[in-house]
Amino acid sequence: MLAGLCALLLSGCANLGAVQEFAKTSADSAAYTQLTDEYVNSPETSKLYTLENDAGERARLDTLAAERKPQAARLMLMHQALAGYMAAVGDLAADDLTEADTQLDGMFDAAVKANYVDETTGAPLRSIGKILAEAAMNGYRQRELNKVIAAANAPLQQLIAHQLALMEGYGQSLANERAMQIRHQRVLHAMARDKGREPVAAELIWERSNLTAMQFAQREKAVPKYLETLKQIAAGHQALYDNRDNLSNKEVAAQIKRYTKRIRAALKAARTPSDAAAPAAAKP
């Protein structure tokens, strides 16, 4: 025990359990892509609520689906960058070598060249990629954590701001999808009830309408909750940056634990019953 204590003192390794837990929780949250998938697929889903003679509406939705494809690429890159970075912070806080993907830097550069992201969005992505590559290739450990946090805070805040802006568009997309669903089912319900033509079909349509209304309500609740997880990650990382030279301080640890608790609660509220099993801690 004495030998182990001496080794710990000589290594200068601090107990950064609060930082590790914050990083892991943030990485798990960043790896959650259910809402992003739904946002990207929303135009195709909306086509299910068009009638046979709605050719113009289906053409509009096809155009919208094509516009969403580059947005999907941007959002997935943002998920990957944020998840990979937070996982690396957790590694370094534990005084472990990070397993960050050293290819992310080149991948982000390629995304810019392919016009998946513009320079405004690409700049923070490339910065995060370079930081992760340097940490992995140079064998960073806990002693370099404050250096990594200092370099990453500005691009990380920009990255999350871009992600929030894109995800906020899903709220309006979801409202449009819901309006189309309501209109579609009302038309079918009216046709089935007309002169008592299809009373059984009318009841089934009514039942389906109530069920989908509940599903939409769950999804509409999920969007702001997931946005809250991103905001809390940004705020928590800002706290790490502000206290990067004093991360083992008890008050700092207590502050970081509060951010972790908020992120965990918001992500739990964002998950819908249709979600698959929770993603693994995010190592891209």
Side-chain angles (χ1 to χ4, degrees), residues 175-194:
N176 294 339
E177 186 181 321
R178 182 173 193 171
M180 290 188 66
Q181 181 266 343
I182 291 172
R183 183 190 69 177
H184 178 71
Q185 292 188 336
R186 281 179 177 174
V187 169
L188 294 181
H189 187 256
M191 291 170 63
R193 289 193 63 188
D194 184 39

Side-chain angles (χ1 to χ4, degrees), residues 2-14 95 142-143:
L2 182 59
L5 179 60
C6 289
L8 180 63
L9 291 173
L10 289 172
S11 69
C13 179
D95 199 36
Q142 190 186 92
R143 61 183 174 273

Side-chain angles (χ1 to χ4, degrees), residues 12 35 62 77 92:
L35 295 178
D62 285 337
L77 285 169
L92 299 181

Side-chain angles (χ1 to χ4, degrees), residues 65-85:
E67 293 172 355
R68 292 274 171 93
K69 288 182 180 179
Q71 292 181 6
R74 287 197 292 274
L75 279 166
M76 288 304 176
L77 285 169
M78 291 174 186
H79 278 292
Q80 192 167 10
L82 183 56
Y85 170 74

